[in-house]
Amino acid sequence: MTIHFHNLKLSEYGMMSALKPLSRKFQGHVIKFSRTSTWLEIHKRYAYRRCLQRQSQRRLAHVPAEDPNFTSIIDNPPTLVRSGRQHGPGLIILALIPITAFILGSWQVQRLGWKTKMIATFEDRLVKDPLSLPPQIDPGAIAEFDYRRVQAAGHFNHDQEMLIGPRMHDGTDGYLVITPLQRGGDATKILVNRGWISKKLKRQADRKEGLPTGQVKVEGLLRKPWSKNIFTPKNKPERGEFYFPDVEEMARVSGSQPVWIEQTMAPDLLMAYNREAKGIPIGRPSEVNLRNNHAQYIFTW
């Protein structure tokens, strides 16, 4: 039997002599060739043996102990950390986070107690009978009567009316109507926040029913002046534009005392619709409307 491969001729005896070195044991696998083996079978077996060799080499390459440069961690000397080394800014920031959260949480606990007591004080004042305002009012004592129900009589000076806006009411744009109340006798003139009107009825000519004449009696809440901040818009009294209830400024413009009364009315939806259509200011309800979210802030921190 003669096998032709790439123009080479091997006799049967010569082929077996050439293949004798390939008949060996490798990794527990014995590769043998017989006289009846074809050249394709011989080639497959030889390729299989080479594949086993490569796999064995890869396995040995991943064994740390077989690496001549491998050094055990037992043989490596330990690395000592200096105790006097200063920590970086990242560790300092991480340490400050819980401290800051504790401080802010404690502060909110104090704020919660303060706001709760203040609301309770105001609600206690609301249940008392209305107090008649004296002819002369001390502006410095108003803070002690904040949210106190009061009443006063006189007539409105509609020619000195001031509109603060824009202000929203149930999704509708409008203004707050501020009208000086001229009290009788030697009593001083004060400012009355009569309530909200729609923007489309801004002109007095369009809301004649909302301009009462003659003697009127006003009942409402006595409020202390509000404080400004850096975000408070600046009023333009020379143009009749007011964006913030600056009691001191509006009192100077109208020649009144810096006393602010918020006229109240019983909550009535049908009455509110009727007042809005006629341009009659919608007064505020007689209740405390201060926000108290400090308990939520405590859980946040």
Side-chain angles (χ1 to χ4, degrees), residues 15-35:
M15 180 186 68
M16 295 303 299
S17 300
L19 295 178
K20 278 184 178 181
L22 300 179
S23 179
R24 64 185 63 176
K25 184 176 182 180
F26 180 76
Q27 293 292 329
H29 300 277
V30 179
I31 302 176
K32 296 182 178 181
F33 305 96
S34 62
R35 294 177 179 273

Side-chain angles (χ1 to χ4, degrees), residues 10-219:
L10 293 176
S11 62
E12 179 180 349
Y13 175 77
M15 180 186 68
M16 295 303 299
S17 300
L19 295 178
K20 278 184 178 181
L22 300 179
S23 179
R24 64 185 63 176
K25 184 176 182 180
F26 180 76
Q27 293 292 329
H29 300 277
V30 179
I31 302 176
K32 296 182 178 181
F33 305 96
S34 62
R35 294 177 179 273
T36 59
S37 300
T38 63
W39 183 256
L40 181 59
E41 293 176 350
I42 295 172
H43 181 70
K44 288 181 178 180
R45 294 178 184 179
Y46 182 74
Y48 176 69
R49 185 176 69 86
R50 295 293 300 171
C51 181
L52 292 178
Q53 286 180 344
R54 293 191 186 98
Q55 290 180 356
S56 177
Q57 291 175 357
R58 285 195 295 268
R59 286 196 301 269
L60 293 176
H62 292 289
V63 177
E66 299 296 334
D67 187 0
N69 298 323
F70 172 75
T71 304
S72 174
I73 59 175
I74 300 177
D75 300 330
N76 289 331
T79 303
L80 299 179
V81 180
R82 292 181 302 171
S83 60
R85 179 177 296 177
Q86 296 181 355
H87 299 293
L91 185 59
I92 297 176
I93 294 175
L94 290 177
L96 289 177
I97 290 177
I99 298 175
T100 304
F102 175 77
I103 294 174
L104 292 176
S106 301
W107 176 60
Q108 290 298 333
V109 170
Q110 297 177 359
R111 293 276 295 176
L112 176 62
W114 165 77
K115 184 62 74 66
T116 303
K117 291 180 181 178
M118 183 173 62
I119 293 176
T121 301
F122 292 159
E123 290 179 344
D124 182 63
R125 293 174 183 174
L126 288 176
V127 299
K128 296 181 180 179
D129 295 331
L131 177 67
S132 296
L133 289 178
Q136 301 294 327
I137 303 172
D138 181 10
I142 293 179
E144 300 177 6
F145 294 87
D146 196 14
Y147 274 96
R148 182 69 164 86
R149 294 172 59 198
V150 295
Q151 59 185 9
H155 64 272
F156 286 122
N157 292 346
H158 297 294
D159 57 335
Q160 294 182 321
E161 179 183 88
M162 293 167 282
L163 301 179
I164 300 178
R167 290 293 188 273
M168 301 296 293
H169 178 76
D170 292 339
T172 304
D173 196 6
Y175 300 92
L176 295 178
V177 180
I178 313 302
T179 308
L181 178 68
Q182 182 64 63
R183 299 186 292 166
D186 58 349
T188 57
K189 185 166 50 174
I190 61 176
L191 299 174
V192 178
N193 176 8
R194 300 179 57 205
W196 179 90
I197 61 170
S198 176
K199 182 179 181 180
K200 62 183 180 181
L201 298 176
K202 177 181 180 180
R203 295 167 61 263
Q204 290 187 356
D206 298 331
R207 47 183 173 92
K208 293 295 185 179
E209 295 187 48
L211 305 173
T213 59
Q215 190 77 2
V216 295
K217 183 179 180 180
V218 177
E219 182 175 327

Side-chain angles (χ1 to χ4, degrees), residues 251-293:
R252 287 194 303 268
V253 171
S254 61
S256 307
Q257 261 200 302
V259 179
W260 183 276
I261 305 297
E262 293 188 344
Q263 192 169 5
T264 58
M265 59 171 286
D268 190 322
L269 185 60
L270 296 179
M271 182 184 297
Y273 285 153
N274 185 43
R275 282 174 169 258
E276 181 179 354
K278 296 180 179 180
I280 303 175
I282 302 174
R284 58 161 296 167
S286 181
E287 62 185 20
V288 180
N289 55 359
L290 297 179
R291 297 171 55 186
N292 188 10
N293 298 328

